Amino acid sequence: MNQQTSPHTGTATIPGNTLLQVRGLTMSYGTGDSENKILEDLTLDVKPGEFVSIVGPSGVGKTTLLRCLSGLLTPKAGEIRVGDERISGPHRDVGVVFQDYSRSLMPWMTTLDNVAFPLQGRGARKGERNSVAEEYLEAVGLAGQGNKFPWEMSGGMQQRVAIARALAYQAKILLMDEPFASVDAQTRFDLEDLVIDLHANLGVTIILVTHDIDEALYLADRVVVIAQKPATVVDVIETGFGSHRDQVATKADPGFQSARARILGILRDH
């Protein structure tokens, strides 16, 4: 791991090649006097292969932002682009891992069928779907578990299935909505390390939203802090920890502690 004494200030916009581009994103619910503005003028770029964490206090609008990025919500203003294509609904290059894995998996399907299911929409034949599903079940440490049903698995294993399903869709961007919030601490650490390995091995672009500062810093190349009401980008930190991270050593790094204190201070002020 690269040792450092202080975090680097980053930027939400990146000159040159970007995979995901967000410009002036504004989202609100209701109209007139009852309008509740959640996000305002939020701007962000994400490079191909980058891991970006978006951190902010509970209720700030992180899940609303993720749902806009996924195309599940239409913003009131601004635009989101994947490459040169504007997002106007669910996009073939964007996969999502939701927080509530127990509801996102279909209990009447085996884990293999759960992972293979989204590939039907791409016209893949059954043999190909199953082959791809087996490949990604193995990638998340569940080789040979394809005949089990979700309800026969622990919460951590179910979330691994959900991650495998999103990866099997072979999207360029993987959105993760606080995916480890519902598991115990040790399982959470194991899943964090799994995602780091998958990111390094597969090169997929990952955007994680979380309220956990340690998780945001440990996983990401760049941490984007959103705060205020309505929410917008208030700080960006380049982590500089490299691809090889350790739950103890990385979190004890002076740069990690400095960045953690900086983010905590910002969130307390907002």
Side-chain angles (χ1 to χ4, degrees), residues 12-255:
T13 57
I14 304 169
N17 187 30
T18 60
L19 177 58
L20 180 77
Q21 186 180 83
V22 182
R23 290 291 179 271
L25 182 67
T26 298
M27 183 66 197
S28 62
Y29 299 104
T31 58
D33 293 339
S34 63
E35 183 180 18
N36 180 20
K37 190 171 285 188
I38 308 298
L39 307 170
E40 185 170 45
D41 197 25
L42 191 147
T43 294
L44 172 69
D45 288 345
V46 179
K47 297 182 294 186
E50 190 176 18
F51 197 133
V52 172
S53 289
I54 299 173
V55 66
S58 296
V60 76
K62 298 185 299 297
T63 294
T64 296
L65 171 58
L66 182 138
R67 290 175 68 84
C68 289
L69 297 180
S70 69
L72 296 174
L73 278 180
T74 302
K76 290 293 181 73
E79 67 174 18
I80 303 165
R81 290 184 176 272
V82 175
D84 295 329
E85 190 172 347
R86 183 170 182 169
I87 288 184
S88 57
H91 196 280
R92 64 185 179 278
D93 286 331
V94 180
V96 184
V97 177
F98 296 100
Q99 177 180 341
D100 193 348
Y101 50 80
S102 63
R103 293 187 179 183
S104 68
L105 299 177
M106 289 165 278
W108 61 89
M109 287 186 175
T110 65
T111 58
L112 183 72
D113 289 339
N114 264 286
V115 175
F117 179 71
L119 298 175
Q120 292 186 38
R122 293 198 165 182
R125 296 185 177 184
K126 184 174 182 180
E128 180 186 353
R129 296 199 304 267
N130 289 346
S131 177
V132 171
E134 288 172 352
E135 175 186 349
Y136 284 102
L137 281 172
E138 181 176 1
V140 299
L142 293 177
Q145 303 294 312
N147 290 328
K148 288 187 176 181
F149 291 91
W151 44 268
E152 296 180 291
M153 295 179 147
S154 67
M157 293 175 73
Q158 289 182 52
Q159 191 61 299
R160 286 174 184 254
V161 175
I163 293 169
R165 181 178 59 187
L167 292 171
Y169 190 64
Q170 298 178 321
K172 295 178 181 178
I173 300 170
L174 184 62
L175 305 177
M176 307 187 82
D177 183 11
E178 302 200 46
F180 316 131
S182 301
V183 297
D184 62 83
Q186 184 57 55
T187 301
R188 183 181 194 133
F189 295 155
D190 291 342
L191 288 171
E192 288 175 351
D193 289 336
L194 169 69
V195 169
I196 287 174
D197 289 342
L198 290 171
H199 177 246
N201 294 333
L202 302 178
V204 65
T205 303
I206 300 178
I207 302 171
L208 170 87
V209 299
T210 181
H211 68 274
D212 189 301
I213 298 172
D214 286 3
E215 181 174 88
L217 285 167
Y218 182 69
L219 290 173
D221 303 314
R222 194 160 48 107
V223 178
V224 175
V225 185
I226 65 171
Q228 303 180 165
K229 289 187 178 296
T232 193
V233 174
V234 295
D235 198 7
V236 181
I237 296 172
E238 308 278 353
T239 62
F241 300 130
S243 59
H244 300 291
R245 307 185 187 198
D246 178 84
Q247 289 285 351
V248 176
T250 301
K251 292 176 181 178
D253 184 277

